Each structure stands twice: as C-alpha cells, then as structure tokens.
Amino acid sequence: MFILFALPGSMQQLKQSETKVSKGAIFQKYHHFSSAATKDSSEEGSEEKQTISVTFVDKDGEEKHIKDVEYYNKLEDPTDEENDMLDLAFGLTETSRLGCQVIATPELDGVRLAIPAHTRNFAVDGYVPKPH
Amino acid sequence: MLKAHQEAEVDIVDRLPTPFGLVRSGVAPDHPETKVVVNQFSRVAQHQRCSFFGNVTLGSSISLAELRELYDVVVLAYGAESDRVLGIPGEDLLGIQSAREFVWWYNGHPDCRCLNPDLKSTDTAVILGQGNVALDVARILLRPPTELATTDISSHALAALEESNIRKVYLVGRRGPVQAACTTKELREVLGIRDLYVHLQKDLVKTPIDEEELKNNRIQRRVYELLTKAATSGPSHPSSGQRELHFVFFRKPDRKPDRFFESHERSGYVSGVRLEKTALQGVEPGKQIAIGTNQYEDLGCGSVLKSIGYKSLPVDGLPFDHKKGIVPNIKGRVISDAQKDPPVLEKGLYVCGWLKRGPTGIIGTNHYCAEETVASISEDVERGLVASSASLPKPGREGLLQVLDDRNVRVLPFSAWEKIDSEERRLGSLRNKPREKLVTWEDIMKVAD
C-alpha cells in the first residue's frame, strides 16, 4: 500500500484505494529516509515547480510518537467518511490521518510522517498496484 | 506463508466449490467495494506454490488426523458457521431465523437456497442484536428493491424482497446506545437510507460507567454521538407509506416459556415477542451487563431474526473450548492440554481467524491474525518442532489428491472457480448486475466441469 501524494492540479493525481484491507506503506525495510514530492502546475500554463521534503520515521526510529500538531493543523479536517475508516485503523493516534488524504502542499515542507507499527505489504509477489 | 517460506507449498481446502468465504457469503450485496479484496486472494490462489481444493469437506472427505499425516503444518481457518442461541423456549417457531441464515440466503449460499423467509404475511420484522450484521439485515429489508436490483444479490432473494410487505424493522439491543456493537460507517449508512423514517427512544441516559467506557473508545464514542443525534433530530412521525426503522435499547427477550408468541391464525408461526426492560450493572471496569427489571412490553411481528453472534463448530480430533466457542490456542498454536504448565501443544496444528479469536472483527483484523499465526509457525519450524523425526518427508499435495481420488471426491481446483466466476459474470451482464450467482450445488457442479 502506497503513501502517495495527490497533487492538486496535477496530471498525475494518485490516490490509494480506500479498502479496509490494509493501511500503511509498501516499504519492506525499515529505514529513516526522505522523499520528495513535486508539484507540477504545467496544466495552468505556469512553469512553477515546487519540491517539498517529507521524512518518514520507521517504527524503530527515535521519534516514535510524532505529534507535529502544527503540521496536523495545516490539513483540512477529516470528513465523516475518513473518520469512519480511521476508527478501524491500528495504532491510531490523535494526529493520525489516512495517507491518501494528506495532500502535498508547499506548507507541508519538512513534515515528518510516522508509519504504524503494524504495517505490512499484503502482496505475495512484490505486486505493485496500479495508481487509479 | 508463501512469502515467509520460499520452499513451502500451500494447499487451501474448502468445502464449497467457490472460494473466499465470507467475502462471498457474508459481505452485503450493496457493499461491492469491500469485495475488491478477492483480487488479492485470487493472486494468492494462482501462485505457483499454492493449490485450491474446492468441494473437499473436513470430516467427511478427509479427517483432521489424515491431514496431519499428509502435511507438516495444518492451519484451521474455517471460521464460525453456526449461531449462538438465545436458549429460550419457542425459539424454533417458524418465522424465527438466525441472521446468518438470512445473510447466506440473500448472498446465494447453496446451503440456504431454500430458506424461504416469509416476507409477505407480515409488515414487521424484529432483529435481536445491533451489530453490523443486524444493520446489514435491516438495510437489505428496508432499501428500495430497485437499488438492490443492480447488485450481486441472489435473484431468489431479490424476487422475495420485491414482493415483501415488511415496512417496519426493529433493532433490539439488551443494553444501551453506549454498548451498541455496530460501527460508524454502517450506522451512518442505515440512517441515510432513502425515504426511511428512523426512530429512537428519547430517554437515552448515560451512566458514569458509560462515560468511563466512552472515554477510551473512539468507535463507541462516535457511534453513541450518531445515535443520540438521530434520536433528537428528524421528524417525529413517519409520513404515510414510509418504511420505518426503530432502534430499541435496554430490552431483552423474556426468558420464560411462551414469550415468543405463536400465531392463532397460522399454527407454528411466530406472531410476537415479549421483551423485558433491562438496567445496566457494572461487573468489572469498563463492562456492564443487562439485568431484567420485571417490566415487560410486547412487540407484534411475523419475523424474528437473531443476530446475537456466530459460533464455531467443533471437529473430531480437535481440542475445543465449548464455552468460548473457539479452539484453545496460544498465538495460533493449538493447545491440547491447558491444565499443564507450560501447556501442552498439538504438533503442527494451528488456527487462524474466527476459529482462533472468536467471531468478531473485519477483514483487516484477520490479516493481522494471520501474521501472528504464521510467525508462530515460522518460529516452530526454525526450532525443529514441526518436521517429523522420521526420514521420509510428508506426502503433501500428491498424497491428498491420491486419498481423495480413492474416495471419489471430486476436487474442484481454482480453475473450476474461474469457470464459475466467468459464467456468473456473463449471466449478470444480461441483467445489469455485476454477477448472477449460481446458488444450487447442481448448477455449480455443472459449470465447474
């Protein structure tokens, strides 16, 4: 299961499916690493590209209990539907959101995201789901 | 298992020719998004080291003891195919059924093809229980049938629902809204059914113990908020011809005999139930039970559906805890003697899913449960506790095929399901449904050929 960023206005809108089966990242090895997400506004005719940096912290990382309330508050409130799904999530905290609802914006530059301890890749054969 | 053990061959045995268990027979027809997981399951079954053996019944086609001789590891994951009973006289009157049977009926399970629930002679159905299964049943009874006509609901159920006279459904819970067993998504959905009048009693009070229960439980908190909001908002009367859904709290069926009333006009059929008002009593921190208060009220109805929980069935040669309805186990390892310290374990025998934990949880819960059982298996393999001390390896798949062939058991592999699947989808496309399920053993076996 990917944590993917839906980029507003982008041609490459990626959203993970909201199945109840699994939540979390596909990352099999647990590492502390950074990733970049790019916003491409070429649709609007502008050449503006912005990169934000996102740090993932694994379950063995030092910063286990991420409570970046400041970043959390920058997100739109969860809808009832998202809250209904969060009800069933493992390892839920007060600053938990569904990965597909965390939309990358310049304001989130530097955000740190912790992935729940009970995260697994369901696919047997390294199958990579198609973005949809 | 396939991921954790690159040399392992895994065989899946199912008494039905159609795989996927409750995803096919339990998930409601109007919840197709929950069934997408069959794609993952199909990929596992099609894996080169995996084989599906459909139409093979544990107990009659092959015994547990025989399976343990054929395979290094046997994992029982056959769930809970029976029901908890109320234990009340009159419980077996006609018109009283378990929700499980009703769900199997509308989902086209071959065992319940001929259930024939009577939805015509009465306008009122009483559902005992307020969990997600109870809500599913209420929703299927109350949704406009035109909305169900484009789902994979079985055609015999759709026909019955199109002619149904049921207009009022009661969801009866022994305890209060704080203890309601449903979850928010399902509750929100049933409250939003088109053109439905929803009624809840207004005198819903919270006890201090209720507050304690709510404090640490997000799901219960949100369910309680939804219920109390529904109790105080909306019209106070149904409009003419409107279907009705009533949530009834603090009521349990009276345990004395003849409290399921028998109809005078139709001998042997239920015509009503006597309910006793309850009060909550704390028994341990965070747990309250319902006790009777000797005040009663009667509900007239022609249909009662018991949705008070599933129960697993024991099998010859399998340790079983009849009180809890599960197989005694430690992280999935089956216990043969719990009296000893440390407990004696059954070699190479494991459980997973509802048979291991009891009949609660969603699909995702079983994912985590499976990981735990596989971790136990892996540890045991590593410690040499699983492989037999004899030099010959176990016969496995070849051995099973041989035994079944000797007994003339017709094994239906995954490719047979693929034929059934393809035919169901073809039949469905003729009626604007995702699939038209084959619901009799004869039809299924004919297509599987």
Side-chain angles (χ1 to χ4, degrees):
Chain A
M1 178 69 76
F2 289 93
I3 291 185
L4 298 169
F5 296 93
L7 308 173
S10 160
M11 301 275 277
Q12 290 158 331
Q13 280 238 348
L14 301 169
K15 250 183 112 177
Q16 74 187 32
S17 67
E18 292 175 17
T19 62
K20 287 178 183 162
V21 174
S22 54
K23 293 182 176 62
I26 58 158
F27 312 106
Q28 300 244 40
K29 307 249 193 289
Y30 300 104
H31 289 312
H32 198 136
F33 68 97
S34 294
S35 166
T38 311
K39 176 178 166 183
D40 181 355
S41 316
S42 55
E43 258 193 333
E44 296 150 21
S46 99
E47 290 300 306
E48 187 191 335
K49 277 196 214 290
Q50 295 174 286
T51 305
I52 68 170
S53 114
V54 174
T55 301
F56 291 93
V57 181
D58 68 60
K59 65 174 186 169
D60 300 317
E62 286 151 27
E63 301 156 291
K64 253 187 281 192
H65 301 289
I66 306 294
K67 294 214 167 152
D68 273 356
V69 180
E70 208 188 287
Y71 279 105
Y72 181 77
N73 289 338
K74 288 183 183 173
L75 301 169
E76 294 245 345
D77 278 348
T79 59
D80 282 339
E81 286 70 28
E82 183 184 346
N83 269 322
D84 288 350
M85 298 203 69
L86 285 171
D87 281 353
L88 304 166
F90 293 118
L92 193 72
T93 69
E94 273 150 36
T95 51
S96 288
R97 296 297 302 269
L98 283 190
C100 62
Q101 300 302 301
V102 180
I103 316 255
T105 62
E107 297 180 298
L108 292 183
D109 188 25
V111 67
R112 293 172 308 166
L113 301 175
I115 300 165
H118 301 306
T119 294
R120 292 289 184 274
N121 179 9
F122 199 178
V124 172
D125 49 4
Y127 172 79
V128 175
K130 283 198 278 292
H132 57 279
Chain B
M1 275 302 296
L2 292 168
K3 273 202 295 183
H5 299 268
Q6 294 298 319
E7 302 290 313
E9 290 201 335
V10 179
D11 293 344
I12 303 174
V13 170
D14 198 313
R15 71 173 178 94
L16 290 180
T18 55
F20 313 134
L22 282 175
V23 177
R24 178 173 166 95
S25 67
V27 176
D30 56 349
H31 287 169
E33 65 285 349
T34 309
K35 305 192 195 196
V36 172
V37 71
V38 301
N39 296 331
Q40 286 280 16
F41 292 160
S42 295
R43 274 193 290 280
V44 172
Q46 289 158 341
H47 192 280
Q48 134 203 35
R49 285 184 285 122
C50 186
S51 260
F52 178 72
F53 284 66
N55 195 38
V56 176
T57 305
L58 178 64
S60 54
S61 314
I62 189 110
S63 72
L64 179 59
E66 286 170 327
L67 281 176
R68 292 177 73 185
E69 277 175 45
L70 291 167
Y71 290 85
D72 297 302
V73 170
V74 174
V75 180
L76 297 173
Y78 62 72
E81 290 201 324
S82 178
D83 313 294
R84 287 181 67 201
V85 291
L86 292 165
I88 298 177
E91 180 169 6
D92 47 5
L93 279 174
L94 293 166
I96 303 182
Q97 285 149 342
S98 74
R100 174 189 59 87
E101 294 170 302
F102 189 76
V103 170
W104 275 9
W105 170 76
Y106 66 62
N107 274 334
H109 193 296
D111 286 0
C112 283
R113 163 68 184 91
C114 301
L115 186 71
N116 263 330
D118 181 1
L119 305 177
K120 284 220 279 214
S121 318
T122 180
D123 70 350
T124 304
V126 168
I127 302 174
L128 300 174
Q130 293 172 335
N132 284 342
V133 176
L135 262 53
D136 270 354
V137 170
R139 195 179 69 251
I140 295 297
L141 284 171
L142 291 169
R143 276 192 82 168
T146 46
E147 291 179 13
L148 296 173
T150 51
T151 68
D152 67 1
I153 192 169
S154 64
S155 53
H156 54 259
L158 182 61
L161 289 164
E162 281 166 346
E163 310 209 325
S164 161
N165 285 320
I166 305 252
R167 294 293 173 269
K168 276 194 270 207
V169 173
Y170 289 83
L171 282 164
V172 179
R174 286 174 307 173
R175 299 185 291 174
V178 170
Q179 290 80 28
C182 55
T183 49
T184 34
K185 178 165 178 272
E186 286 70 20
L187 180 56
R188 200 184 302 281
E189 184 184 12
V190 93
L191 294 174
I193 293 176
R194 193 160 56 92
D195 202 25
L196 179 72
Y197 168 74
V198 180
H199 176 257
L200 287 85
Q201 62 213 71
K202 302 234 185 321
D203 60 340
L204 299 175
V205 284
K206 252 190 297 182
T207 67
I209 309 187
D210 282 341
E211 305 269 27
E212 269 305 303
E213 277 183 46
L214 290 177
K215 225 167 46 171
N216 297 318
N217 194 315
R218 181 190 149 114
I219 296 183
Q220 267 175 279
R221 220 167 35 238
R222 297 186 70 237
V223 166
Y224 177 74
E225 275 160 23
L226 253 184
L227 287 170
T228 43
K229 194 165 113 193
T232 53
S233 63
S236 50
H237 297 289
S239 52
S240 148
Q242 219 182 6
R243 294 185 177 198
E244 302 171 29
L245 175 64
H246 298 256
F247 281 84
V248 176
F249 298 102
F250 303 110
R251 300 288 186 276
K252 64 185 177 90
D254 187 11
R255 300 194 67 83
K256 304 190 228 357
D258 300 329
R259 286 335 188 206
F260 280 113
F261 302 122
E262 189 177 334
S263 163
H264 299 303
E265 291 86 37
R266 303 165 78 217
S267 157
Y269 281 84
V270 71
S271 65
V273 59
R274 171 155 294 176
L275 299 172
E276 184 179 9
K277 290 192 188 178
T278 67
L280 296 181
Q281 183 180 82
V283 289
E284 53 186 63
K287 177 139 198 237
Q288 301 172 86
I289 58 170
I291 52 170
T293 61
N294 276 318
Q295 301 161 73
Y296 303 92
E297 60 190 36
D298 297 342
L299 259 186
C301 61
S303 170
V304 176
L305 289 155
K306 299 176 285 182
S307 187
I308 58 174
Y310 295 81
K311 202 166 71 175
S312 289
L313 293 165
V315 142
D316 261 352
L318 180 64
F320 196 78
D321 180 335
H322 289 273
K323 189 154 163 263
K324 292 189 195 160
I326 58 170
V327 172
N329 71 92
I330 300 175
K331 295 194 176 185
R333 297 176 175 97
V334 176
I335 300 173
S336 64
D337 190 347
Q339 303 301 329
K340 303 242 178 1
D341 184 23
V344 177
L345 302 171
E346 292 280 343
K347 176 166 152 175
L349 187 60
Y350 302 81
V351 280
C352 194
W354 281 6
L355 189 58
K356 169 184 167 195
R357 298 178 292 105
T360 58
I362 57 173
I363 297 174
T365 324
N366 291 311
H367 181 192
Y368 176 63
C369 181
E371 287 195 342
E372 185 184 67
T373 294
V374 172
S376 296
I377 295 172
S378 301
E379 275 170 36
D380 291 353
V381 166
E382 214 158 307
R383 289 199 217 130
L385 297 173
V386 161
S388 64
S389 42
S391 50
L392 291 172
K394 293 264 176 84
R397 188 174 299 165
E398 295 310 317
L400 180 59
L401 283 166
Q402 186 64 58
V403 170
L404 294 173
D405 190 49
D406 291 345
R407 290 179 188 167
N408 282 323
V409 173
R410 191 175 153 206
V411 174
L412 294 185
F414 201 71
S415 55
W417 155 248
E418 284 167 335
K419 288 195 204 134
I420 296 166
D421 180 35
S422 171
E423 177 64 0
E424 287 185 347
R425 283 187 283 120
R426 184 191 74 81
L427 291 168
S429 68
L430 303 172
R431 294 176 173 192
N432 201 20
K433 299 169 79 171
R435 72 174 61 241
E436 182 61 66
K437 286 182 184 170
L438 299 173
V439 301
T440 65
W441 287 95
E442 294 74 28
D443 286 345
I444 292 172
M445 297 310 256
K446 219 173 4 175
V447 169
D449 242 329

